[in-house]
Amino acid sequence: MAAALLGCSSGGGSGEGDGPAVAAEDPAASGGEPAERLVSYTSRLPIAQYSYTEAENTAIESAQQLLTQRCMRSYGIAYEPTDPDREPADSTDRRYGVSSPSEAARFGYHPNPDASRDTQVDLPKEALSVFYGNRGASQGSGGDLVYKGKKVPDAGCFGQSIGKLSRYDDPDGAAVASRIATGSYQESLDAPAVKEVFRKWSSCMRKDGFRYASPNEPLNKSAFQGGEISAEERETAVADVRCKEATGLLDIWFKAESAIQRAHIQENVKALEGLLTAHREKAAVARRIVADG
């Protein structure tokens, strides 16, 4: 969950954390039926304002890809960067478990396979060693990696490109933000309002024949973790979403966690402002790299 907010990913949330959930239309919906609205919670939590914005993330990824391309070219290897603006299919936010009726009916508790980026690098095997360097090599393998008589960076062209921008990172500030993003979720489980709405959700689920004390129980059920998606898993997930909607669980949980995060943010303002400054500086450097071509 912290990674979803902070791990070199976009966030750009407003940090308000109290309004109704922002909904985005599902472009996959078709056939004359009203499009399902995809609800966002993670990007609207208060700590999300200390993540990179989408524009900053795009600039940084573009700069990393451009630096990688330059490096690969110095070895005589043609490398075409991926388009950082190419987004995977939209999917609902799962910080509080499943929330989309259509995804629950199709995938149960499994992730939407269409919502992940294809990160495979299309290069010949020898060229991949230049791209990745010694990453993943067994310890003690020893020796420099050489390609056509030229030494390859230990981290490869890609790792070297990331390293050139990572000097602008703020590890201490990022650790504070990550701790808040992760800790607030755990603390929210003990919030009285969340405990109460869990009880209501559990009662709702019992009416459909499912006995779970909290939404995390079916989410983490081992029978729902395998490769196959069973009818039971789909039926449970559909009932789960329906009971969340009936009890207002998602908004109640979101508001409780938002309040917890705001309190922690106030206790760590200096560190978080430093993190925000580092993000802006890194993005500015990335934009200059892209502008230089």
Side-chain angles (χ1 to χ4, degrees):
M1 294 173 185
L5 279 168
L6 302 155
C8 293
S9 67
S10 64
S14 66
E16 292 301 322
D18 278 329
V22 174
E25 185 171 337
D26 181 357
S30 59
E33 292 295 324
E36 182 178 334
R37 310 299 287 183
L38 302 183
V39 180
S40 171
Y41 291 99
T42 300
S43 65
R44 295 174 54 250
L45 283 165
I47 197 62
Q49 65 187 303
Y50 299 100
S51 300
Y52 292 108
T53 65
E54 290 185 11
E56 288 169 343
N57 222 15
T58 296
I60 291 167
E61 289 184 20
S62 296
Q64 289 170 348
Q65 293 282 7
L66 183 57
L67 290 172
T68 301
Q69 184 182 46
R70 291 178 189 169
C71 176
M72 297 291 284
R73 190 182 298 140
S74 72
Y75 291 90
I77 301 171
Y79 167 66
E80 288 301 321
T82 57
D83 181 2
D85 286 323
R86 181 179 58 82
E87 292 294 331
D90 286 337
S91 182
T92 53
D93 185 339
R94 290 198 175 191
R95 186 171 182 87
Y96 306 126
V98 291
S99 60
S100 161
S102 64
E103 285 192 3
R106 293 172 64 196
F107 311 117
Y109 291 96
H110 282 65
N112 180 350
D114 299 327
S116 60
R117 287 178 185 249
D118 180 7
T119 57
Q120 183 175 357
V121 179
D122 186 17
L123 288 171
K125 183 177 180 180
E126 296 78 10
L128 281 174
S129 67
V130 179
F131 187 90
Y132 288 117
N134 284 318
R135 188 172 73 174
S138 59
Q139 289 188 348
S141 56
D144 292 335
L145 184 62
V146 177
Y147 181 83
K148 293 184 178 180
K150 183 177 178 180
K151 183 181 181 302
V152 175
D154 288 341
C157 285
F158 184 59
Q160 176 179 266
S161 300
I162 293 175
K164 286 183 177 179
L165 288 171
S166 67
R167 71 188 67 176
Y168 300 98
D169 291 341
D170 177 10
D172 291 338
V176 170
S178 180
R179 186 171 65 249
I180 292 173
T182 304
S184 64
Y185 178 88
Q186 294 300 322
E187 289 183 47
S188 71
L189 297 174
D190 292 324
V194 174
K195 286 185 173 182
E196 176 60 26
V197 79
F198 277 10
R199 284 192 288 270
K200 292 179 179 179
W201 174 90
S202 180
S203 176
C204 176
M205 291 289 284
R206 280 198 300 273
K207 293 176 183 177
D208 287 327
F210 303 103
R211 302 187 68 83
Y212 296 102
S214 82
N216 286 337
E217 287 189 6
L219 182 67
N220 295 316
K221 187 174 180 177
S222 60
F224 298 161
Q225 303 298 314
E228 296 295 325
I229 304 175
S230 66
E232 180 192 357
E233 179 182 346
R234 290 191 177 94
E235 291 167 3
T236 305
V238 168
D240 181 349
V241 174
R242 184 166 59 246
C243 287
K244 282 173 179 169
E245 292 176 345
T247 59
L249 182 148
L250 294 169
D251 283 333
I252 291 171
W253 196 350
F254 170 72
K255 289 178 181 178
E257 186 177 11
S258 294
I260 291 167
Q261 285 195 357
R262 281 194 295 271
H264 288 305
I265 287 170
Q266 286 301 312
E267 296 167 355
N268 295 276
V269 170
K270 185 176 180 180
L272 292 172
E273 288 300 325
L275 176 62
L276 207 55
T277 298
H279 285 345
R280 303 299 177 259
E281 184 178 4
K282 183 174 181 176
V285 171
R287 291 189 185 101
R288 288 197 293 270
I289 291 172
V290 174
D292 289 342

